[in-house]
Amino acid sequence: MPRRHKRQRSKAEQRFQAQSKKQGLVCPKLPVIEEEDVSIEEVSAAGTSSMPQSPQRACSSSTAIAAAPPSKPDEGPSSQEEVPSTSCVSPAADVLLSDALDRKVSNLVQFMSIKYLTKEPITEAEMLKVVIREYKDHFPVIFKKACECLEVVFGIDVKEVDPIDHSYVLVKTLDLTYDGMLSDDQGMPKTGLLILILGVIFMEGNRAPEEKIWEVLSLIGVYSGSKDFIYGEPRKLITRDLVQEEYVEYRQVPNSDPARYEFLWGPRAYAETSKMKVLKFFAKVNGTDPSSFPSLYQEALRDEEQRAQARIATVAGSSSSATSSTAPSEV
């Protein structure tokens, strides 16, 4: 049994590393939420044109995800770089350190993604030994950026389960149960794309024209008809797979001629997550608070109230039925 598990783990690792090296693992920037408006133009682009080709390109921080341009690809060999030991460093040395840390973030994302695929916990000691090594003094920054990248790209949350041993597990974010993987160890999790689509639908007034969806996806280098190393064939994923899973509805706009199509939340999305959770996710990666977007926040609050009332009504109905069934019958 241990040998079988080891072979499966190696297979998953080789698949992920081959895909990552071929395409370049990067944390794309999500659209920025603008306070004044609530359309996808108002969720203006942070500006990522495509998936970079260098495998050393690392994931950005939440601030960079929201606004900053991607960092330049590193060009030098990593084995010759050293961590500066003084506070006064030259601009060139500062760039070298930044590039080296970016590579460590990218490597850690790959390592943690493999742990998700194999459903194994991960410890700080393991990360330091296998990935971080001589950059252990920078571990908090590297770990933070890697966690942010996992959340945005793959929709994976890193949760601490043992604060003494600093042990973590990787789970799907926003309480979603779907990750789009073909089996337990095949494919890559696609929850991040699902969250992005649900967010666009919410921000577009709960129904998003198909062209708006593709406009946003193009900002992270995902295009209809172009196979993506994480998401596969995007059109198939969002117009068929997510529809079959009942996360989204894809339907023709009434009376449109020529025919146009739009996306809405599906019943499974309403059952597993909420507008407030999606808004909090987008606010987090934009480095702000949900209440910073009044109209979206008010709608999310109304949704929370309606959900609470529905739960109360359900509990009351169940209690009433139980009382009626246990009441003594009159003779």
Side-chain angles (χ1 to χ4, degrees):
M1 182 63 70
R3 288 187 177 182
R4 181 181 178 185
H5 177 72
K6 185 175 182 179
R7 285 197 297 272
Q8 290 176 341
R9 177 181 177 181
S10 177
K11 182 179 178 182
E13 181 174 355
Q14 289 174 359
R15 183 186 306 107
F16 181 84
Q17 290 180 339
Q19 291 173 325
S20 300
K21 290 179 180 179
K22 180 179 179 181
Q23 297 293 336
L25 180 61
V26 67
C27 185
K29 296 190 285 290
L30 288 184
V32 177
I33 303 175
E34 298 290 349
E35 182 174 1
E36 292 81 4
D37 306 295
V38 190
S39 69
I40 201 52
E41 286 89 357
E42 303 138 1
V43 187
S44 57
T48 300
S49 59
S50 63
M51 296 291 283
Q53 296 303 308
S54 169
Q56 284 79 32
R57 287 295 299 274
C59 300
S60 306
S61 67
S62 60
T63 302
I65 290 170
S71 57
K72 295 181 179 179
D74 51 86
E75 299 175 354
S78 59
S79 59
Q80 301 300 318
E81 297 169 3
E82 296 181 356
V83 180
S85 58
T86 65
S87 58
C88 298
V89 294
S90 67
D94 194 39
V95 170
L96 288 177
L97 175 60
S98 177
D99 287 346
L101 296 184
D102 280 351
R103 279 192 294 277
K104 288 299 180 180
V105 173
S106 182
N107 292 340
L108 184 56
V109 168
Q110 292 185 33
F111 184 66
M112 296 170 78
S113 298
I114 292 166
K115 290 293 186 177
Y116 174 82
L117 294 176
T118 56
K119 296 180 171 57
E120 295 177 311
I122 187 170
T123 64
E124 179 177 322
E126 188 177 13
M127 289 183 276
L128 288 170
K129 179 180 179 181
V130 177
V131 179
I132 307 302
R133 298 176 182 173
E134 70 273 23
Y135 292 89
K136 62 182 181 180
D137 290 343
H138 299 273
F139 174 75
V141 173
I142 296 171
F143 182 65
K144 180 175 182 291
K145 288 185 176 183
C147 291
E148 290 168 347
C149 187
L150 282 170
E151 187 174 24
V152 172
V153 177
F154 300 119
I156 297 174
D157 267 344
V158 181
K159 295 185 178 296
E160 188 174 42
V161 293
D162 187 342
I164 297 177
D165 190 41
H166 297 295
S167 177
Y168 304 86
V169 294
L170 291 87
V171 298
K172 289 179 283 292
T173 192
L174 295 189
D175 299 325
L176 296 168
T177 59
Y178 172 83
D179 60 14
M181 294 172 61
L182 300 177
S183 67
D184 288 344
D185 68 343
Q186 293 184 358
M188 293 305 302
K190 302 170 179 64
T191 317
L193 189 71
L194 171 59
I195 295 169
L196 177 57
I197 291 172
L198 293 178
V200 173
I201 294 171
F202 173 35
M203 295 169 198
E204 281 291 312
N206 300 309
R207 57 181 69 238
E210 181 176 5
E211 56 268 24
K212 294 298 182 182
I213 293 291
W214 291 115
E215 178 183 335
V216 174
L217 295 185
S218 70
L219 301 176
I220 60 171
V222 176
Y223 304 93
S224 176
S226 298
K227 192 170 183 178
D228 185 88
F229 96 104
I230 297 176
Y231 307 122
E233 210 311 289
R235 173 167 289 280
K236 173 182 174 294
L237 174 63
I238 70 174
T239 63
R240 193 178 79 179
D241 298 348
L242 295 182
V243 172
Q244 291 178 348
E245 294 291 338
E246 299 187 333
Y247 277 111
V248 300
E249 295 180 6
Y250 178 62
R251 67 188 190 187
Q252 183 177 342
V253 177
N255 304 318
S256 60
D257 185 18
R260 293 182 294 109
Y261 293 84
E262 62 184 2
F263 289 88
L264 295 81
W265 279 30
R268 190 170 169 186
Y270 280 107
E272 293 183 1
T273 191
S274 69
K275 294 177 181 179
M276 183 62 77
K277 290 178 182 178
V278 170
L279 180 59
K280 286 181 177 179
F281 175 86
F282 276 82
K284 177 182 177 182
V285 299
N286 278 273
T288 187
D289 185 84
S291 60
S292 300
F293 316 108
S295 59
L296 293 172
Y297 186 61
Q298 289 301 318
E299 182 176 350
L301 283 177
R302 288 193 296 271
D303 181 63
E304 293 293 299
E305 293 173 359
Q306 292 170 0
R307 288 170 177 268
Q309 292 172 359
R311 287 192 295 268
I312 293 173
T314 300
V315 172
S318 300
S319 300
S320 177
S321 299
T323 302
S324 299
S325 63
T326 57
S329 58
E330 295 183 2
V331 180

